[in-house]
Amino acid sequence: MLADRVVAARPGGLAPRSGGARLAAGGAAARRPRHRRHAAGLRTAAAAPSSAPVGEQEAAGGACPFLAALPAPPPAGTRWHERVRQLFAPLDYQRGALGPHSVVADQAGLGLPDQLVVGDPELVRKVFNGEADGSVTVSAASLLGSRKLVGGSNLLMSPEPRHKYLRALIMPAFAPEAIEAQVPRMERVLRTYLDKWAGAPRVLAHEELRRMTFEFIVAIVMGADYDASTIDRLSNLFSAWTGGLLAWPFLDLPFTPFGRAMAARRELLAFFAGAVERARADLAAGRAVPGVLGALVGAVDDEGRTLSDVELGDNLLLVLLAGHDTSSTTLTNVLVNLQDHPEAMAQLRAEQAALVARRGAAIDGAALREMHYAEAVIRETLRLNNVVVGLMRSAAKDFELGGYRVPAGSTLYLALSDVALRDARWADDDPAAFRPARMLTPEGQRPGALMRERAPPCGAAPRRGRPPAARAAPTPPPCRLAAAAAAAFGHGPRFCAGYALAMAEMKTFLALLARDYDFDADTNTAWRQEIGRVPKNGLPTTVRRRSAAAAAAAPAPAAGAETPARAR
């Protein structure tokens, strides 16, 4: 993700592919020819998968005969030296590796491990859910070797049952009540930046959005606002740290990006350690500690145990990572889409005008829940340009996947970007086009490829012994996920803990933008791959405050009016 690449117009005709592999005796793979898309619109597998749980398939005292008889996946359609595209051009890598198949085996190359690439929605969903039955766990190769940089004691890297334990302690920080309490701070931070941009001749929107979302997530995590110099220092450290996430080769030397990232990690952890020490002192004195920091430091399980210093540091870093680059990159792509599709911006303004007329100008939890079109804009942007292009998991034991045998210890790479773009629901509806309205249709409101079928609980019951300042409210009803969550937020036991917070932040930004500002962005740019795709030109943008008359007009566009996507 450190090298630049040019992304042409979004590929058209992204119809789902089908196909599989038939293995000859002795295990040599023979490619099957490409076939027409079948009714379900998905890649087919080599054999009908078994419905029996893996544990029931295992024979006493040895391997399950069913699993032993299954073929291995066919080889990937890429050469060893093309593995580096997984870092710099992930969608191209995913399509080249998979070809017509649902699962392929790619060989190690350029310091990257052997892996099975999974490119079928149902199979990806099965892998996500595999942690619940013990067949899948987090991968030692997660984030392509940078586990040392991210830390091994956070929600992302912890295997079950430790992950479930940590999640129960952390989730109260992201309960609906906790998020709604942060909306005023959210609005204050976001409006400050919009006003600053409106006072400048032109800004580089991507960089400004990165700084805005960083200041916001720091305030949410730490429960406090910091001066500009502190934000600058933390932002520089954070940029150096995230710069090492995909800094292949991963060499911890002072002159390498990965080595500089490790040094930045140590400084960030030192900052958190000081804040943790002060928070513990405040809690001991009976003083409330706000923010995610207060919830984590004050979390106590049923046996009186608290999170260790290492767990606190790793999870605070993870929240910063999950709440910063992902949101800024998504909002950057949202601005591009709104610039290129004025009818979508008009619809967004119309929704906000109607909301203000109905509820007043206040932005609160209830108002955010009624911003259906704003949510559709975000979800459609994520469908087209998923920030999380792929995830890695590891097979904890032998199991069947799409008619193939997955041996214990195998690394599984989930091709999320390719799967999202080949969602069978949109195969005959110009899947490469930006059309937020599709997310408001009955099809868009039902679970689809990589979408969760049931909403996750957004809070957790209080635990005995937790200090009053950190005690959570009783578990509320499940969050409303509108048409469930896009692949960027995952699925199964590791569904993103901060999903509701991220959506609240992005919807608040779009509400303020649509109500009070006009903008003009230069979207004629090449793109490069970082954490998601970002514009090489930084997205030069002019922002102006809207006049009261213009804001009051906000006419709704004609029903169904949508212009074709412009090639970028």
Side-chain angles (χ1 to χ4, degrees), residues 243-482:
L245 287 174
L246 294 173
W248 173 85
F250 304 108
L251 301 176
D252 189 2
L253 299 172
F255 55 84
T256 66
F258 189 78
R260 290 191 290 272
M262 288 298 297
R265 168 184 162 84
R266 289 188 287 271
E267 290 195 53
L268 287 169
L269 289 177
F271 173 80
F272 288 141
V276 165
E277 184 177 352
R278 292 189 294 274
R280 284 173 172 158
D282 285 342
L283 289 175
R287 294 187 291 270
V289 179
V292 176
L293 173 69
L296 296 187
V297 173
V300 182
D301 69 14
D302 292 337
E303 298 180 10
R305 294 171 299 190
T306 60
L307 296 175
S308 69
D309 290 346
V310 172
E311 288 171 327
L312 286 168
D314 280 1
N315 281 288
L316 288 170
L317 271 179
L318 178 63
V319 174
L320 281 188
L321 175 64
H324 174 231
D325 278 309
T326 51
S327 294
S328 63
T329 299
T330 300
L331 286 175
T332 297
N333 282 279
V334 164
L335 287 183
V336 170
N337 288 330
L338 293 176
Q339 174 70 34
D340 288 353
H341 299 271
E343 79 289 344
M345 189 67 206
Q347 183 66 47
L348 194 62
R349 293 195 195 282
E351 178 180 71
Q352 290 302 315
L355 187 60
V356 169
R358 187 168 64 251
R359 303 185 58 90
I363 297 179
D364 54 20
L368 290 174
R369 286 189 288 274
E370 293 186 27
M371 297 181 189
H372 307 303
Y373 191 76
E375 182 168 324
V377 166
I378 295 166
R379 291 183 53 237
E380 177 72 348
T381 297
L382 286 169
R383 184 186 70 83
L384 291 169
N385 298 112
N386 198 350
V387 177
V388 183
V389 296
L391 287 174
M392 286 179 150
R393 291 292 185 264
S394 182
K397 55 186 175 183
D398 292 358
F399 69 97
E400 174 273 335
L401 187 67
Y404 299 113
R405 177 172 54 85
V406 177
S410 299
T411 295
L412 298 128
Y413 175 65
L414 311 181
L416 302 185
S417 286
D418 187 44
V419 168
L421 286 170
R422 296 185 184 282
D423 192 326
R425 294 175 300 171
W426 319 123
D428 299 318
D429 186 27
D430 195 1
F434 175 75
R435 292 180 179 171
R438 79 172 91 227
M439 295 297 171
L440 302 175
T441 65
E443 278 295 296
Q445 291 292 305
R446 73 172 180 82
L450 294 185
M451 291 189 177
R452 194 180 179 99
E453 296 185 10
R454 288 196 298 267
C458 290
R463 295 181 174 270
R464 295 189 297 275
R466 183 175 300 166
R471 185 170 294 140
T475 303
C479 295
R480 178 187 178 277
L481 288 186

Side-chain angles (χ1 to χ4, degrees), residues 182-241:
Q182 295 290 353
V183 171
R185 171 176 271 131
M186 207 179 286
E187 182 178 357
R188 183 173 67 252
V189 171
L190 303 186
R191 187 178 288 282
T192 296
Y193 275 84
L194 284 165
D195 284 342
K196 183 182 77 169
W197 302 344
R202 178 169 274 204
V203 297
L204 294 178
H206 177 58
E207 291 305 314
E208 287 294 320
L209 285 167
R210 291 188 81 247
R211 182 179 172 86
M212 180 191 79
T213 55
F214 183 76
E215 183 170 340
F216 164 75
I217 197 62
V218 167
I220 296 299
V221 169
M222 307 306 291
D225 298 312
Y226 290 89
D227 58 50
S229 62
T230 301
I231 292 295
D232 282 341
R233 183 173 72 87
L234 293 175
S235 180
N236 290 336
L237 288 172
F238 185 83
S239 293
W241 178 61

Side-chain angles (χ1 to χ4, degrees), residues 94-141:
Q94 291 169 13
R95 290 179 175 167
L98 285 160
H101 302 289
S102 58
V103 184
V104 297
D106 203 359
Q107 61 183 321
L110 301 173
L112 303 176
D114 289 322
Q115 63 185 15
L116 303 182
V117 184
V118 184
D120 176 274
E122 290 306 315
L123 301 186
V124 169
R125 192 194 307 268
K126 180 175 180 178
V127 173
F128 273 136
N129 287 332
E131 287 191 72
D133 64 22
S135 59
V136 175
T137 186
V138 292
S139 172

Side-chain angles (χ1 to χ4, degrees), residues 1-7 10 88 90 205-207 209-210 324-334 336 385-387 389 522-540 568:
M1 289 188 181
L2 299 178
D4 292 350
R5 74 177 177 104
V6 175
V7 178
R10 290 191 179 108
F88 306 132
H206 177 58
E207 291 305 314
L209 285 167
R210 291 188 81 247
H324 174 231
D325 278 309
T326 51
S327 294
S328 63
T329 299
T330 300
L331 286 175
T332 297
N333 282 279
V334 164
V336 170
N385 298 112
N386 198 350
V387 177
V389 296
D522 179 6
T523 63
N524 184 23
T525 181
W527 297 79
R528 67 174 178 264
Q529 189 69 31
E530 292 183 356
I531 298 179
R533 72 161 200 165
V534 300
K536 290 180 70 174
N537 71 351
L539 197 62
R568 292 189 297 279

